[in-house]
Amino acid sequence: MREGLISLASGSLFGAGLAISGMMDPSRVRGFLDIFGNWDPTLAFVMGGAVAVMAIAWLVKARMAKPAMAEKFNIPGTRTIDRKLIVGAALFGVGWGLAGLCPGPALGALVIEPMPAGIFVLSMIAGMAIHRAAKL
């Protein structure tokens, strides 16, 4: 129960941040990514803020033996940059540029604009299922 409430509070805070920052607005995100066209640099401040918060989190994590609400940290054990990572990152970037949404903002956008965000989320789930079935 306690972990569920903390997860709900964390997710709500994250979703509020995405909504307030404009990350749930596909046209704004596409404007940020259109650096050779009508570029909107305002989301750079959002990303800078996210990097600053994450840098502080990594510093705090380095001083902790374990997370406050889990038995251990779940951090990927590999630092290898391989073909799968590069292809996956490229596909993510192309999809983000085309749709103007990535998974977190898309889930939050389900509340604001359920139809277009729902299409994105269903497509995302289908892609995940295909990936799992193909064992890529």
Side-chain angles (χ1 to χ4, degrees), residues 96-112:
W96 193 33
L98 290 173
L101 288 170
C102 62
L107 292 174
L110 283 172
V111 176
I112 299 169

Side-chain angles (χ1 to χ4, degrees), residues 2-57:
R2 184 175 162 202
E3 289 180 22
L5 289 174
I6 290 173
S7 296
L8 179 64
S10 299
S12 298
L13 182 62
F14 181 67
L18 292 173
I20 292 168
S21 68
M23 292 292 291
M24 289 183 195
D25 181 357
S27 64
R28 189 158 180 212
V29 171
R30 282 191 300 265
F32 173 70
L33 296 173
D34 186 13
I35 57 174
F36 297 114
N38 191 17
W39 187 47
D40 175 7
T42 56
L43 289 184
F45 293 103
V46 174
M47 293 185 181
V51 168
V53 168
M54 200 60 219
I56 293 168

Side-chain angles (χ1 to χ4, degrees), residues 67-121:
M69 298 302 300
E71 293 300 318
K72 64 179 178 105
F73 288 103
N74 291 307
I75 298 172
T78 181
R79 291 176 180 232
T80 304
I81 298 174
D82 58 8
R83 186 177 62 83
K84 283 177 61 175
L85 179 65
I86 293 170
V87 170
L91 287 172
F92 178 89
V94 169
W96 193 33
L98 290 173
L101 288 170
C102 62
L107 292 174
L110 283 172
V111 176
I112 299 169
E113 294 188 63
M115 185 55 108
I119 292 169
F120 179 90
V121 170

